[in-house]
Amino acid sequence: MSNEEEEKILLESIDSCRLLVKERSRLLGRSLTYHVTTFGCQMNAKDSEKLSGILEAAGFEREEDELAADFVLYNTCTIRDNANQKFFGHLGSIGAVKKKNPDMMIGVCGCLSQERSAREKITQSYPFVDLIFGTHNLFDFPQLLYKLLTRQVTKGKGHLISEFWDDTDRIVENIPSRRNYKFKSGVNIMFGCNNFCSYCIVPYVRGREKSRASSDIIDEIKRLADDGVKEVMLLGQNVNSYGRGLSEDINFARLLEKVEEVSGISRIRFMTSHPKDLSDDLIDVMAASKKICRHIHLPLQSGSSRILESMNRQYTKESYLSLAAKIRERIPGIALTTDIIVGYPGETDADVDDTIDVIEKVQFDGAFTFIYSERTGTRAASMPDKVSAKEAARNFERVLAKVQETSQKRAKLIEGMTGDVLVEDINRQDSSLVTGRLSNNLNVHFPGDASLIGQIVRVHLSECRGFYYIGERA
Ligand code: SAH
Ligand code: SF4
Ligand code: F3S
Protein backbone atom coordinates (compact mmCIF):
# COMPACT_ATOMS: atom_id res chain seq x y z
CA MET A 1 0.00 0.00 0.00
CA SER A 2 1.29 3.50 -0.76
CA ASN A 3 1.92 6.04 1.92
CA GLU A 4 -1.01 8.15 0.66
CA GLU A 5 -3.37 5.17 0.88
CA GLU A 6 -2.19 4.41 4.43
CA GLU A 7 -2.72 8.05 5.34
CA LYS A 8 -6.23 8.00 3.88
CA ILE A 9 -7.20 4.85 5.82
CA LEU A 10 -5.83 6.33 9.01
CA LEU A 11 -7.88 9.52 8.62
CA GLU A 12 -11.03 7.59 7.67
CA SER A 13 -10.66 5.36 10.73
CA ILE A 14 -10.39 8.45 12.92
CA ASP A 15 -13.64 9.74 11.38
CA SER A 16 -15.37 6.44 12.16
CA CYS A 17 -14.12 6.59 15.76
CA ARG A 18 -15.46 10.11 16.07
CA LEU A 19 -19.04 8.94 15.47
CA LEU A 20 -18.75 6.30 18.19
CA VAL A 21 -17.14 8.73 20.63
CA LYS A 22 -19.98 11.17 19.98
CA GLU A 23 -22.60 8.49 20.60
CA ARG A 24 -20.94 7.35 23.80
CA SER A 25 -20.59 10.96 25.04
CA ARG A 26 -24.28 11.56 24.36
CA LEU A 27 -25.24 8.53 26.47
CA LEU A 28 -22.91 9.58 29.28
CA GLY A 29 -23.94 13.23 29.12
CA ARG A 30 -20.29 14.32 29.11
CA SER A 31 -17.13 14.10 27.00
CA LEU A 32 -15.12 10.90 26.86
CA THR A 33 -11.65 11.48 28.31
CA TYR A 34 -8.20 10.02 27.70
CA HIS A 35 -4.82 9.99 29.37
CA VAL A 36 -1.59 8.86 27.69
CA THR A 37 1.14 7.90 30.17
CA THR A 38 4.59 7.91 28.61
CA PHE A 39 7.69 6.02 29.74
CA GLY A 40 11.13 6.07 28.14
CA CYS A 41 12.93 8.28 25.66
CA GLN A 42 12.17 11.30 23.48
CA MET A 43 11.05 9.01 20.70
CA ASN A 44 8.33 7.59 22.89
CA ALA A 45 7.39 11.12 23.94
CA LYS A 46 7.01 11.99 20.25
CA ASP A 47 4.89 8.88 19.61
CA SER A 48 2.68 9.87 22.54
CA GLU A 49 2.05 13.24 20.93
CA LYS A 50 0.79 11.38 17.86
CA LEU A 51 -1.34 8.97 19.92
CA SER A 52 -2.84 11.93 21.80
CA GLY A 53 -3.39 13.75 18.50
CA ILE A 54 -5.31 10.77 17.13
CA LEU A 55 -7.42 10.53 20.30
CA GLU A 56 -8.28 14.24 20.21
CA ALA A 57 -9.08 14.07 16.49
CA ALA A 58 -11.45 11.23 17.40
CA GLY A 59 -13.22 13.46 19.90
CA PHE A 60 -11.64 12.43 23.21
CA GLU A 61 -10.79 15.15 25.73
CA ARG A 62 -7.54 15.14 27.64
CA GLU A 63 -7.77 14.25 31.37
CA GLU A 64 -4.74 15.16 33.51
CA ASP A 65 -5.44 12.49 36.14
CA GLU A 66 -4.47 9.04 34.85
CA LEU A 67 -6.81 7.27 37.27
CA ALA A 68 -9.84 9.35 36.25
CA ALA A 69 -9.72 8.95 32.45
CA ASP A 70 -12.15 6.82 30.44
CA PHE A 71 -9.31 5.57 28.25
CA VAL A 72 -5.77 5.17 29.61
CA LEU A 73 -3.01 4.34 27.17
CA TYR A 74 0.43 3.32 28.43
CA ASN A 75 3.26 4.00 25.98
CA THR A 76 5.95 1.80 27.47
CA CYS A 77 9.74 1.44 27.59
CA THR A 78 11.82 -1.66 28.24
CA ILE A 79 15.38 -0.36 28.02
CA ARG A 80 16.22 -1.54 31.57
CA ASP A 81 14.40 -3.71 34.06
CA ASN A 82 13.43 -0.72 36.20
CA ALA A 83 11.46 0.64 33.21
CA ASN A 84 9.46 -2.60 33.19
CA GLN A 85 8.90 -2.44 36.92
CA LYS A 86 7.69 1.14 36.80
CA PHE A 87 5.12 0.25 34.17
CA PHE A 88 3.86 -2.86 35.98
CA GLY A 89 3.46 -0.71 39.10
CA HIS A 90 1.14 1.61 37.16
CA LEU A 91 -0.72 -1.29 35.62
CA GLY A 92 -1.34 -2.80 39.08
CA SER A 93 -2.90 0.40 40.41
CA ILE A 94 -5.05 1.01 37.34
CA GLY A 95 -6.33 -2.56 37.68
CA ALA A 96 -7.73 -1.71 41.10
CA VAL A 97 -9.42 1.41 39.68
CA LYS A 98 -10.94 -0.53 36.80
CA LYS A 99 -12.52 -2.98 39.23
CA LYS A 100 -14.64 -0.10 40.51
CA ASN A 101 -15.19 1.36 37.05
CA PRO A 102 -15.59 -1.49 34.54
CA ASP A 103 -16.26 0.93 31.68
CA MET A 104 -12.71 2.20 31.85
CA MET A 105 -10.63 1.22 28.79
CA ILE A 106 -6.95 0.36 29.16
CA GLY A 107 -4.41 0.14 26.35
CA VAL A 108 -0.71 -0.72 26.24
CA CYS A 109 1.71 0.06 23.42
CA GLY A 110 5.38 0.91 22.92
CA CYS A 111 8.63 -0.97 23.32
CA LEU A 112 7.69 -3.21 26.25
CA SER A 113 4.58 -4.49 24.52
CA GLN A 114 6.70 -5.34 21.47
CA GLU A 115 8.86 -7.67 23.59
CA ARG A 116 7.39 -11.17 23.58
CA SER A 117 7.91 -12.23 27.21
CA ALA A 118 6.62 -8.93 28.62
CA ARG A 119 3.62 -9.12 26.30
CA GLU A 120 2.82 -12.62 27.50
CA LYS A 121 3.03 -11.44 31.09
CA ILE A 122 0.52 -8.67 30.34
CA THR A 123 -1.96 -10.93 28.55
CA GLN A 124 -1.75 -13.64 31.22
CA SER A 125 -1.52 -11.68 34.45
CA TYR A 126 -3.42 -8.48 33.64
CA PRO A 127 -6.63 -9.66 31.97
CA PHE A 128 -8.27 -6.26 32.41
CA VAL A 129 -6.11 -4.78 29.62
CA ASP A 130 -8.41 -4.15 26.62
CA LEU A 131 -5.97 -3.25 23.89
CA ILE A 132 -2.33 -3.95 23.17
CA PHE A 133 -0.27 -3.16 20.08
CA GLY A 134 3.36 -3.09 19.05
CA THR A 135 5.77 -0.37 17.95
CA HIS A 136 5.21 -1.15 14.26
CA ASN A 137 1.45 -0.70 14.60
CA LEU A 138 1.13 2.89 15.75
CA PHE A 139 -0.47 3.65 12.37
CA ASP A 140 -3.14 1.02 13.09
CA PHE A 141 -4.15 2.71 16.33
CA PRO A 142 -7.28 4.40 14.87
CA GLN A 143 -8.54 1.05 13.54
CA LEU A 144 -7.85 -0.68 16.84
CA LEU A 145 -9.52 2.15 18.71
CA TYR A 146 -12.54 1.72 16.47
CA LYS A 147 -12.78 -1.96 17.41
CA LEU A 148 -12.48 -1.10 21.07
CA LEU A 149 -15.16 1.59 20.91
CA THR A 150 -17.50 -0.68 18.96
CA ARG A 151 -17.19 -3.23 21.73
CA GLN A 152 -17.95 -0.55 24.35
CA VAL A 153 -21.00 0.79 22.54
CA THR A 154 -22.47 -2.64 21.82
CA LYS A 155 -21.47 -3.85 25.31
CA GLY A 156 -19.76 -6.73 23.52
CA LYS A 157 -17.88 -9.27 25.61
CA GLY A 158 -14.31 -8.25 26.21
CA HIS A 159 -11.45 -10.16 24.84
CA LEU A 160 -8.13 -8.52 24.21
CA ILE A 161 -7.75 -6.52 21.00
CA SER A 162 -4.19 -6.82 19.79
CA GLU A 163 -1.99 -6.17 16.77
CA PHE A 164 1.69 -6.98 16.39
CA TRP A 165 4.10 -7.06 13.50
CA ASP A 166 7.71 -8.14 13.79
CA ASP A 167 8.92 -5.24 11.67
CA THR A 168 7.71 -2.80 9.03
CA ASP A 169 9.12 -0.45 6.47
CA ARG A 170 6.05 1.76 6.33
CA ILE A 171 6.20 5.36 7.45
CA VAL A 172 2.89 7.20 7.43
CA GLU A 173 3.09 10.99 7.22
CA ASN A 174 0.72 13.68 8.46
CA ILE A 175 -0.58 11.94 11.56
CA PRO A 176 -2.48 14.35 13.83
CA SER A 177 -0.35 15.35 16.78
CA ARG A 178 -0.94 17.09 20.09
CA ARG A 179 2.29 18.88 20.97
CA ASN A 180 3.40 19.04 24.58
CA TYR A 181 5.04 22.43 24.03
CA LYS A 182 4.00 25.25 21.70
CA PHE A 183 7.54 26.49 21.13
CA LYS A 184 9.59 23.32 20.76
CA SER A 185 9.06 19.96 19.15
CA GLY A 186 10.76 16.67 18.46
CA VAL A 187 10.90 15.60 14.81
CA ASN A 188 11.54 11.98 13.85
CA ILE A 189 14.15 11.76 11.14
CA MET A 190 14.53 7.99 11.33
CA PHE A 191 13.10 4.98 13.10
CA GLY A 192 14.62 1.76 14.42
CA CYS A 193 18.25 0.78 14.85
CA ASN A 194 20.69 -1.53 13.08
CA ASN A 195 23.58 -1.38 15.49
CA PHE A 196 22.85 -4.28 17.80
CA CYS A 197 24.99 -3.11 20.68
CA SER A 198 25.24 -6.35 22.63
CA TYR A 199 23.36 -5.12 25.73
CA CYS A 200 20.55 -3.27 23.98
CA ILE A 201 16.93 -4.27 23.36
CA VAL A 202 16.10 -1.38 21.02
CA PRO A 203 16.91 -3.10 17.67
CA TYR A 204 14.60 -5.95 18.72
CA VAL A 205 11.68 -3.81 19.77
CA ARG A 206 12.02 -0.96 17.27
CA GLY A 207 13.04 -2.93 14.20
CA ARG A 208 15.43 -2.04 11.38
CA GLU A 209 16.67 1.45 10.75
CA LYS A 210 14.70 3.49 8.22
CA SER A 211 15.06 7.17 7.38
CA ARG A 212 12.28 9.57 6.44
CA ALA A 213 12.54 11.39 3.13
CA SER A 214 14.16 14.79 3.71
CA SER A 215 11.28 16.59 1.96
CA ASP A 216 8.82 15.12 4.48
CA ILE A 217 11.05 16.19 7.37
CA ILE A 218 11.49 19.72 6.04
CA ASP A 219 7.75 20.06 5.30
CA GLU A 220 6.97 19.06 8.88
CA ILE A 221 9.52 21.53 10.27
CA LYS A 222 8.09 24.34 8.11
CA ARG A 223 4.61 23.59 9.42
CA LEU A 224 5.93 23.57 12.97
CA ALA A 225 7.67 26.92 12.42
CA ASP A 226 4.42 28.37 11.04
CA ASP A 227 2.75 27.15 14.20
CA GLY A 228 5.17 28.95 16.52
CA VAL A 229 7.88 26.35 17.09
CA LYS A 230 11.34 27.88 17.61
CA GLU A 231 13.37 24.83 18.55
CA VAL A 232 13.36 21.42 16.88
CA MET A 233 15.00 18.28 18.20
CA LEU A 234 15.82 15.85 15.39
CA LEU A 235 15.25 12.35 16.72
CA GLY A 236 16.81 8.99 15.87
CA GLN A 237 18.73 6.23 17.65
CA ASN A 238 21.77 7.07 15.53
CA VAL A 239 21.17 10.34 13.70
CA ASN A 240 24.65 10.22 12.18
CA SER A 241 23.63 7.41 9.89
CA TYR A 242 20.59 9.34 8.62
CA GLY A 243 19.91 8.84 4.90
CA ARG A 244 21.26 5.32 4.49
CA GLY A 245 18.90 3.33 2.33
CA LEU A 246 17.09 6.38 0.92
CA SER A 247 17.03 6.85 -2.84
CA GLU A 248 17.98 10.54 -2.51
CA ASP A 249 21.61 11.57 -2.09
CA ILE A 250 21.64 12.84 1.50
CA ASN A 251 23.34 12.45 4.86
CA PHE A 252 22.86 13.98 8.31
CA ALA A 253 25.12 16.99 7.67
CA ARG A 254 23.19 17.89 4.47
CA LEU A 255 19.88 17.45 6.31
CA LEU A 256 21.03 19.87 9.02
CA GLU A 257 21.87 22.43 6.34
CA LYS A 258 18.35 22.12 4.97
CA VAL A 259 16.83 22.52 8.44
CA GLU A 260 19.02 25.59 9.02
CA GLU A 261 17.30 27.26 6.05
CA VAL A 262 13.80 27.01 7.53
CA SER A 263 12.90 30.52 8.64
CA GLY A 264 11.27 30.83 12.05
CA ILE A 265 13.36 28.01 13.51
CA SER A 266 16.02 29.52 15.78
CA ARG A 267 17.45 26.43 17.40
CA ILE A 268 18.25 22.95 16.19
CA ARG A 269 19.10 20.04 18.46
CA PHE A 270 19.52 16.34 17.75
CA MET A 271 19.61 13.07 19.63
CA THR A 272 21.40 10.64 19.61
CA SER A 273 24.82 10.61 17.97
CA HIS A 274 26.69 7.36 17.75
CA PRO A 275 30.45 8.07 17.95
CA LYS A 276 31.27 5.57 15.20
CA ASP A 277 29.38 7.58 12.58
CA LEU A 278 30.07 11.17 13.61
CA SER A 279 31.72 12.71 10.53
CA ASP A 280 34.10 15.65 10.05
CA ASP A 281 31.49 16.98 7.68
CA LEU A 282 28.99 17.16 10.56
CA ILE A 283 31.50 18.96 12.79
CA ASP A 284 32.10 21.52 10.01
CA VAL A 285 28.39 22.08 9.51
CA MET A 286 27.89 22.56 13.26
CA ALA A 287 30.85 24.93 13.53
CA ALA A 288 29.46 27.11 10.72
CA SER A 289 25.85 27.02 11.91
CA LYS A 290 24.03 29.87 13.63
CA LYS A 291 21.18 27.65 14.75
CA ILE A 292 22.56 24.26 15.78
CA CYS A 293 22.88 24.24 19.55
CA ARG A 294 26.28 23.92 21.18
CA HIS A 295 25.61 20.46 22.55
CA ILE A 296 26.31 16.92 21.43
CA HIS A 297 25.10 13.90 23.35
CA LEU A 298 27.72 11.30 22.50
CA PRO A 299 27.18 8.05 24.40
CA LEU A 300 30.46 6.52 25.52
CA GLN A 301 29.02 3.44 27.33
CA SER A 302 32.51 2.39 28.48
CA GLY A 303 36.04 3.76 28.36
CA SER A 304 37.60 0.31 28.06
CA SER A 305 38.40 -0.76 24.48
CA ARG A 306 38.00 -4.39 25.50
CA ILE A 307 34.48 -3.81 26.82
CA LEU A 308 33.61 -1.57 23.86
CA GLU A 309 34.53 -4.38 21.52
CA SER A 310 32.38 -6.84 23.43
CA MET A 311 29.56 -4.29 23.35
CA ASN A 312 29.91 -4.05 19.54
CA ARG A 313 30.27 -0.28 19.71
CA GLN A 314 32.80 -0.13 16.82
CA TYR A 315 35.14 2.44 18.40
CA THR A 316 37.96 2.35 20.93
CA LYS A 317 38.91 4.42 23.94
CA GLU A 318 41.53 6.18 21.81
CA SER A 319 39.26 6.91 18.85
CA TYR A 320 36.57 8.27 21.18
CA LEU A 321 39.10 10.53 22.89
CA SER A 322 40.41 11.92 19.61
CA LEU A 323 36.87 12.49 18.33
CA ALA A 324 35.93 14.37 21.52
CA ALA A 325 39.11 16.46 21.35
CA LYS A 326 38.43 17.34 17.71
CA ILE A 327 34.86 18.43 18.52
CA ARG A 328 36.00 20.56 21.45
CA GLU A 329 38.67 22.21 19.32
CA ARG A 330 36.53 22.92 16.27
CA ILE A 331 33.35 24.03 18.09
CA PRO A 332 34.32 26.29 20.99
CA GLY A 333 31.93 26.28 23.95
CA ILE A 334 30.34 22.98 22.96
CA ALA A 335 28.90 20.83 25.72
CA LEU A 336 29.56 17.12 25.47
CA THR A 337 27.29 14.82 27.41
CA THR A 338 27.21 11.06 27.50
CA ASP A 339 25.70 7.77 28.64
CA ILE A 340 27.72 5.26 30.63
CA ILE A 341 26.93 1.67 31.58
CA VAL A 342 28.54 0.16 34.68
CA GLY A 343 28.51 -3.55 35.50
CA TYR A 344 28.51 -4.97 31.97
CA PRO A 345 29.44 -8.71 31.94
CA GLY A 346 33.16 -9.23 32.45
CA GLU A 347 33.81 -5.62 33.49
CA THR A 348 36.69 -5.33 35.96
CA ASP A 349 37.82 -2.46 38.19
CA ALA A 350 40.55 -1.75 35.62
CA ASP A 351 37.89 -1.32 32.90
CA VAL A 352 36.03 1.14 35.12
CA ASP A 353 39.33 2.98 35.69
CA ASP A 354 39.47 3.42 31.90
CA THR A 355 35.94 4.83 31.90
CA ILE A 356 36.88 7.26 34.65
CA ASP A 357 40.01 8.22 32.70
CA VAL A 358 37.89 9.12 29.66
CA ILE A 359 35.51 11.19 31.81
CA GLU A 360 38.51 13.05 33.20
CA LYS A 361 40.10 13.61 29.79
CA VAL A 362 36.92 14.63 27.94
CA GLN A 363 35.58 16.64 30.89
CA PHE A 364 31.98 15.73 30.18
CA ASP A 365 29.40 18.45 30.77
CA GLY A 366 26.95 15.83 31.95
CA ALA A 367 26.34 12.10 31.90
CA PHE A 368 23.59 9.59 32.51
CA THR A 369 25.10 6.65 34.32
CA PHE A 370 23.26 3.32 34.31
CA ILE A 371 23.82 0.01 36.00
CA TYR A 372 23.81 -2.73 33.38
CA SER A 373 20.45 -4.45 33.15
CA GLU A 374 20.17 -7.82 31.44
CA ARG A 375 17.69 -7.84 28.55
CA THR A 376 16.32 -11.19 27.43
CA GLY A 377 17.34 -12.10 23.89
CA THR A 378 20.33 -9.75 23.64
CA ARG A 379 23.83 -11.09 23.11
CA ALA A 380 25.14 -9.83 26.45
CA ALA A 381 22.41 -11.76 28.30
CA SER A 382 24.21 -15.01 27.54
CA MET A 383 27.71 -13.78 28.39
CA PRO A 384 29.63 -15.24 31.32
CA ASP A 385 31.23 -13.34 34.22
CA LYS A 386 28.22 -11.42 35.41
CA VAL A 387 29.16 -8.57 37.73
CA SER A 388 27.57 -8.72 41.19
CA ALA A 389 25.10 -6.01 42.20
CA LYS A 390 27.47 -4.99 44.99
CA GLU A 391 30.45 -4.55 42.68
CA ALA A 392 28.36 -2.69 40.14
CA ALA A 393 27.02 -0.34 42.83
CA ARG A 394 30.53 0.39 44.12
CA ASN A 395 31.82 1.22 40.64
CA PHE A 396 28.68 3.18 39.84
CA GLU A 397 29.49 5.48 42.77
CA ARG A 398 33.07 5.95 41.55
CA VAL A 399 31.89 6.86 38.05
CA LEU A 400 29.15 9.15 39.35
CA ALA A 401 31.57 11.06 41.57
CA LYS A 402 33.85 11.76 38.60
CA VAL A 403 30.96 12.78 36.34
CA GLN A 404 29.72 15.20 38.99
CA GLU A 405 33.17 16.66 39.37
CA THR A 406 33.68 17.34 35.65
CA SER A 407 30.17 18.58 34.99
CA GLN A 408 30.30 21.06 37.86
CA LYS A 409 33.66 22.26 36.70
CA ARG A 410 32.41 22.70 33.14
CA ALA A 411 29.24 24.51 34.23
CA LYS A 412 31.26 26.95 36.34
CA LEU A 413 33.39 28.01 33.35
CA ILE A 414 30.71 30.34 32.00
CA GLU A 415 29.84 32.05 35.29
CA GLY A 416 29.53 35.82 34.83
CA MET A 417 28.96 35.57 31.07
CA THR A 418 25.72 36.17 29.21
CA GLY A 419 23.83 33.68 27.07
CA ASP A 420 20.59 33.21 25.13
CA VAL A 421 17.96 31.27 27.02
CA LEU A 422 14.84 29.71 25.51
CA VAL A 423 12.31 30.06 28.33
CA GLU A 424 10.38 26.84 28.84
CA ASP A 425 8.36 27.14 32.01
CA ILE A 426 7.61 28.83 35.31
CA ASN A 427 10.04 27.53 37.92
CA ARG A 428 8.41 24.71 39.89
CA GLN A 429 9.77 25.75 43.29
CA ASP A 430 9.63 29.51 42.99
CA SER A 431 6.91 31.02 40.81
CA SER A 432 8.69 34.39 40.59
CA LEU A 433 11.32 32.67 38.42
CA VAL A 434 11.20 31.21 34.93
CA THR A 435 13.27 28.26 33.73
CA GLY A 436 14.94 27.86 30.39
CA ARG A 437 17.88 26.40 28.56
CA LEU A 438 21.09 27.74 27.13
CA SER A 439 22.29 26.56 23.74
CA ASN A 440 24.65 24.18 25.60
CA ASN A 441 21.60 22.65 27.33
CA LEU A 442 22.33 24.03 30.83
CA ASN A 443 19.28 25.11 32.81
CA VAL A 444 18.96 28.72 33.89
CA HIS A 445 16.44 30.14 36.37
CA PHE A 446 15.83 33.89 36.44
CA PRO A 447 13.14 36.39 37.49
CA GLY A 448 10.32 36.55 34.94
CA ASP A 449 6.71 35.66 34.23
CA ALA A 450 4.63 33.45 31.95
CA SER A 451 4.76 35.99 29.12
CA LEU A 452 8.38 34.97 28.52
CA ILE A 453 7.58 31.30 27.89
CA GLY A 454 8.65 30.36 24.37
CA GLN A 455 10.86 33.42 23.95
CA ILE A 456 14.62 33.51 23.60
CA VAL A 457 16.05 36.12 25.98
CA ARG A 458 19.53 37.29 26.82
CA VAL A 459 20.45 36.38 30.39
CA HIS A 460 23.39 37.23 32.60
CA LEU A 461 24.66 34.03 34.24
CA SER A 462 25.17 35.40 37.73
CA GLU A 463 25.59 32.34 39.88
CA CYS A 464 26.46 28.75 39.09
CA ARG A 465 24.79 26.36 41.52
CA GLY A 466 26.38 23.05 40.67
CA PHE A 467 24.66 21.95 37.47
CA TYR A 468 22.45 24.98 36.80
CA TYR A 469 22.44 28.77 36.86
CA ILE A 470 20.64 31.54 38.62
CA GLY A 471 20.61 34.52 36.28
CA GLU A 472 19.00 37.86 35.49
CA ARG A 473 17.94 39.45 32.23
CA ALA A 474 20.90 41.14 30.59
N1 SAH B 1 20.69 4.99 20.59
C1 SAH B 1 21.33 5.56 21.70
C2 SAH B 1 20.92 4.98 23.02
C3 SAH B 1 19.53 4.69 23.34
S1 SAH B 1 19.28 3.87 24.86
C4 SAH B 1 22.81 5.35 21.53
O1 SAH B 1 23.26 4.42 20.91
O2 SAH B 1 23.54 6.11 22.08
C5 SAH B 1 19.85 5.06 26.03
C6 SAH B 1 20.94 4.55 26.90
O3 SAH B 1 20.48 3.50 27.72
C7 SAH B 1 22.14 3.95 26.19
O4 SAH B 1 23.01 4.92 25.72
C8 SAH B 1 22.75 3.10 27.27
O5 SAH B 1 23.68 3.82 28.03
C9 SAH B 1 21.58 2.74 28.15
N2 SAH B 1 21.24 1.31 28.03
C10 SAH B 1 20.80 0.66 26.95
N3 SAH B 1 20.62 -0.65 27.22
C11 SAH B 1 20.97 -0.82 28.52
C12 SAH B 1 21.03 -1.95 29.40
N4 SAH B 1 20.70 -3.16 28.99
N5 SAH B 1 21.43 -1.76 30.68
C13 SAH B 1 21.77 -0.51 31.10
N6 SAH B 1 21.76 0.56 30.33
C14 SAH B 1 21.36 0.42 29.05
FE1 SF4 C 1 20.82 0.48 21.38
FE2 SF4 C 1 23.19 0.68 20.28
FE3 SF4 C 1 21.03 1.08 18.79
FE4 SF4 C 1 21.74 2.85 20.64
S1 SF4 C 1 22.90 2.33 18.82
S2 SF4 C 1 19.69 2.05 20.28
S3 SF4 C 1 22.57 1.57 22.26
S4 SF4 C 1 21.65 -0.83 19.74
FE1 F3S D 1 12.77 2.83 25.93
FE2 F3S D 1 11.99 2.20 23.54
FE3 F3S D 1 13.09 4.54 23.95
S1 F3S D 1 12.98 0.84 24.98
S2 F3S D 1 14.47 4.16 25.65
S3 F3S D 1 11.21 3.85 24.81
S4 F3S D 1 13.24 3.31 22.11
Side-chain angles (χ1 to χ4, degrees):
M1 215 185 304
S2 74
N3 196 335
E4 287 72 28
E5 284 166 333
E6 293 259 18
E7 197 177 312
K8 192 161 161 267
I9 293 177
L10 187 134
L11 296 175
E12 283 171 2
S13 306
I14 293 177
D15 281 342
S16 316
C17 288
R18 197 180 304 141
L19 295 175
L20 293 179
V21 171
K22 219 173 174 179
E23 175 59 13
R24 184 102 187 106
S25 303
R26 195 181 59 79
L27 291 172
L28 286 171
R30 61 169 176 84
S31 302
L32 266 191
T33 60
Y34 80 94
H35 185 95
V36 178
T37 302
T38 312
F39 303 87
C41 64
Q42 313 250 14
M43 264 159 277
N44 255 22
K46 177 72 189 182
D47 284 351
S48 287
E49 292 188 355
K50 294 178 191 166
L51 295 161
S52 301
I54 291 170
L55 284 161
E56 293 195 3
F60 278 86
E61 247 176 45
R62 185 180 166 88
E63 162 62 63
E64 295 299 329
D65 178 3
E66 175 182 319
L67 303 180
D70 296 304
F71 178 47
V72 182
L73 181 58
Y74 293 107
N75 190 10
T76 60
C77 171
T78 186
I79 195 80
R80 286 169 290 273
D81 188 52
N82 55 7
N84 288 37
Q85 283 177 16
K86 225 160 131 190
F87 161 66
F88 283 112
H90 274 252
L91 201 53
S93 18
I94 204 82
V97 177
K98 185 164 174 170
K99 258 201 186 124
K100 289 188 216 131
N101 174 16
D103 280 343
M104 187 177 214
M105 296 173 279
I106 297 169
V108 183
C109 63
C111 295
L112 180 140
S113 60
Q114 185 70 30
E115 204 269 309
R116 194 177 300 269
S117 62
R119 192 193 317 163
E120 279 165 6
K121 179 169 169 183
I122 296 168
T123 49
Q124 278 159 22
S125 310
Y126 300 87
F128 53 82
V129 170
D130 300 284
L131 164 69
I132 180 164
F133 58 98
T135 53
H136 308 299
N137 303 92
L138 189 136
F139 310 128
D140 304 317
F141 177 51
Q143 290 175 59
L144 299 168
L145 184 65
Y146 181 75
K147 279 192 199 167
L148 180 63
L149 290 165
T150 313
R151 202 177 75 188
Q152 273 263 324
V153 170
T154 59
K155 292 276 174 208
K157 272 273 165 276
H159 54 252
L160 182 66
I161 296 167
S162 73
E163 187 80 30
F164 286 96
W165 292 356
D166 287 338
D167 204 348
T168 182
D169 52 12
R170 61 182 178 157
I171 295 177
V172 182
E173 297 293 339
N174 303 318
I175 301 182
S177 182
R178 180 202 187 274
R179 291 209 317 276
N180 286 335
Y181 295 91
K182 268 205 77 59
F183 54 88
K184 66 171 185 176
S185 179
V187 175
N188 299 113
I189 64 167
M190 58 212 295
F191 302 93
C193 181
N194 283 354
N195 291 304
F196 288 95
C197 301
S198 64
Y199 49 82
C200 184
I201 193 86
V202 171
Y204 302 90
V205 294
R206 285 276 171 179
R208 293 294 62 75
E209 182 181 292
K210 41 202 165 286
S211 293
R212 270 176 89 191
S214 66
S215 54
D216 288 332
I217 296 170
I218 298 300
D219 284 352
E220 179 179 348
I221 295 176
K222 282 183 181 156
R223 279 198 306 272
L224 289 169
D226 288 344
D227 201 30
V229 166
K230 295 210 171 107
E231 177 179 296
V232 286
M233 163 87 88
L234 309 181
L235 298 172
Q237 292 298 350
N238 176 9
V239 291
N240 298 320
S241 68
Y242 170 76
R244 277 183 208 161
L246 283 179
S247 53
E248 55 181 315
D249 181 22
I250 192 151
N251 59 28
F252 186 52
R254 299 287 83 73
L255 178 72
L256 280 171
E257 286 174 337
K258 284 178 192 261
V259 179
E260 179 105 14
E261 282 167 20
V262 179
S263 60
I265 297 296
S266 323
R267 280 183 167 188
I268 306 166
R269 297 185 186 276
F270 52 85
M271 182 89 100
T272 297
S273 280
H274 195 308
K276 79 178 165 74
D277 295 315
L278 200 152
S279 65
D280 282 0
D281 191 12
L282 172 65
I283 300 176
D284 291 342
V285 168
M286 283 188 80
S289 167
K290 300 254 180 313
K291 295 183 177 177
I292 304 173
C293 288
R294 273 21 199 165
H295 174 215
I296 302 184
H297 186 64
L298 194 63
L300 167 69
Q301 314 303 0
S302 167
S304 154
S305 296
R306 192 178 69 84
I307 295 290
L308 287 169
E309 177 159 18
S310 167
M311 286 175 163
N312 189 30
R313 289 291 289 180
Q314 319 266 334
Y315 54 84
T316 60
K317 175 182 181 183
E318 290 69 34
S319 66
Y320 188 98
L321 283 173
S322 56
L323 176 62
K326 187 160 61 183
I327 296 170
R328 285 241 193 263
E329 187 195 309
R330 302 250 283 269
I331 315 172
I334 191 129
L336 283 175
T337 59
T338 203
D339 292 344
I340 292 167
I341 298 177
V342 177
Y344 178 83
E347 187 182 61
T348 63
D349 281 5
D351 293 317
V352 179
D353 291 344
D354 270 328
T355 301
I356 291 174
D357 188 42
V358 175
I359 302 169
E360 173 69 36
K361 290 204 165 100
V362 175
Q363 294 280 303
F364 283 115
D365 296 76
F368 295 110
T369 308
F370 307 107
I371 290 193
Y372 168 74
S373 170
E374 186 172 299
R375 309 320 286 138
T376 311
T378 60
R379 220 158 43 73
S382 55
M383 287 181 184
D385 302 326
K386 300 276 171 335
V387 174
S388 73
K390 200 169 144 228
E391 286 298 290
R394 189 174 53 77
N395 277 326
F396 181 87
E397 290 306 323
R398 289 208 292 144
V399 168
L400 195 64
K402 183 51 84 180
V403 162
Q404 285 178 346
E405 181 194 310
T406 66
S407 42
Q408 291 193 17
K409 224 195 270 174
R410 288 281 308 169
K412 187 94 179 152
L413 286 179
I414 52 171
E415 196 170 44
M417 297 185 181
T418 54
D420 288 333
V421 173
L422 172 58
V423 180
E424 300 196 338
D425 234 324
I426 297 288
N427 185 295
R428 291 220 178 96
Q429 270 98 46
D430 179 349
S431 62
S432 71
L433 301 178
V434 289
T435 295
R437 239 171 252 272
L438 290 165
S439 168
N440 71 4
N441 216 33
L442 274 184
N443 273 316
V444 183
H445 311 283
F446 64 96
D449 58 38
S451 67
L452 292 178
I453 293 176
Q455 289 193 43
I456 294 176
V457 286
R458 196 114 189 112
V459 175
H460 180 252
L461 305 168
S462 334
E463 189 193 343
C464 181
R465 295 214 183 141
F467 309 110
Y468 65 91
Y469 269 95
I470 298 295
E472 61 211 51
R473 283 188 80 165

